[in-house]
Amino acid sequence: MAQAAMVRRVAAARAATDAGPAMAAIGTLAAVLVLARQARPVVEAAAWSWRFAEQAPTTIIGPIGTARLAGWALLVAALVAGWRTAAALGACAAVVAELAMLTTGVRDHAAPGWHLLLALIVAVPLCGSLLLADGGGREQRPLPGRFWAAAVAIGLCAALSAAGPPLVAEQSDGFMFISNIAVARIGFGALALIALFSLVAVSALPAAVRRRAVVLLATLAVVLASTQLGYDGAFMSVIDYPVLRDQPAMALALAAVAAVLVLGALAVRARERASR
């Protein structure tokens, strides 16, 4: 009986050990995606300036957008350097800052609550990885090089696809024409590449970690899909009129439901493995 209890404890410890790196990997991918999203307006403005200088926006992202872009760039740099604890604290700081903006009524170009959701997408898995790990920061096992190569590809796809509308635009007699079909093809192509590179990144993880990472990756996909449906210009310029427009609470609810379901499934699975 004592031996069975010991086996259960070892299995539980192993499950937690595997879950920590999985959450760290998915939190890293989420951080890269959020950074790419913050860079999309800059990429689009640069593309307009290159093709049609008169169409280039005078104000790209403003001071708040600049602060967000710089903050997420520093957070991803911390992850690259292996400072996972600092990155998790930075994500928590982003959550607090976005919540403060939401509650104080600070006006921004983005729909209310959307950037808070993005910050939570990163903060939850990164903080969870620290809670399930033996130590923080550099003591944790670094992510493989192939994982980072795929993460870079994901970020480039998400950011550079913003140049789609200006690249396919045509000007005639002072009027600007943009093919919605061409923009949609670029958007869906970028989404397909992001999904492909996400699977490549997860496949670079150890086998025991990979199983949990796949489940968490599915959660991330559901959450990001809800933001695409819920907000103008979320990640891809594919949907003309978001289904959940002006309803950020519904998008947050969808994200929360998806997260609870998947995390609950992970908890049940961990208990089952621990009881074997």
Side-chain angles (χ1 to χ4, degrees):
M1 194 167 182
Q3 184 178 1
M6 186 177 297
V7 169
R8 285 196 297 269
R9 289 179 183 176
V10 171
R14 185 177 301 168
T17 302
D18 294 340
M23 297 187 79
I26 299 306
T28 299
L29 291 182
V32 170
L33 273 173
V34 173
L35 173 60
R37 175 57 188 87
Q38 304 299 344
R40 280 175 63 82
V42 179
V43 172
E44 184 176 7
W48 279 116
S49 298
W50 175 56
R51 290 213 64 201
F52 308 100
E54 68 278 5
Q55 297 293 332
T58 55
T59 301
I60 301 176
I61 53 178
I64 295 177
T66 302
R68 284 183 177 131
L69 179 58
W72 286 108
L74 288 174
L75 190 148
V76 171
L79 289 171
V80 173
W83 300 333
R84 207 168 291 164
T85 301
L89 292 175
C92 291
V95 171
V96 173
E98 296 296 344
L99 185 60
M101 287 183 58
L102 193 62
T103 54
T104 56
V106 176
R107 292 280 178 187
D108 188 20
H109 296 296
W114 184 64
H115 283 283
L116 174 61
L117 174 60
L118 294 182
L120 285 170
I121 289 173
V122 180
V124 170
L126 287 182
C127 292
S129 69
L130 295 179
L131 293 175
L132 295 175
D134 294 332
R138 290 185 178 276
E139 296 178 5
Q140 295 181 345
R141 182 180 301 176
L143 293 168
R146 192 173 63 166
F147 176 92
W148 280 112
V152 169
I154 289 171
L156 290 176
C157 288
L160 296 181
S161 61
L167 289 179
V168 301
E170 297 293 340
Q171 194 171 24
S172 177
D173 297 329
F175 293 95
M176 189 69 61
F177 299 94
I178 301 177
S179 172
N180 291 330
I181 295 177
V183 172
R185 286 174 178 172
I186 293 174
F188 283 118
L191 288 174
L193 287 175
I194 289 172
L196 175 62
F197 286 123
S198 297
L199 294 177
V200 171
V202 170
S203 68
L205 302 173
V209 177
R210 195 182 307 149
R211 292 192 294 270
R212 288 168 175 78
V214 168
V215 178
L216 293 172
L217 184 63
T219 307
L220 179 63
V222 170
V223 172
L224 294 183
S226 70
T227 67
Q228 179 66 69
L229 292 174
Y231 301 99
D232 271 325
F235 281 88
M236 301 296 159
S237 304
V238 176
I239 301 175
D240 293 332
Y241 188 87
V243 179
L244 303 177
R245 188 173 190 169
D246 299 326
Q247 301 183 52
M250 187 177 296
L252 287 169
L254 285 175
V257 169
V260 169
L261 287 175
V262 176
L263 292 177
L266 282 175
V268 170
R269 183 176 178 180
R271 287 181 64 88
E272 289 177 349
R273 293 191 62 182
S275 62
R276 289 178 185 175

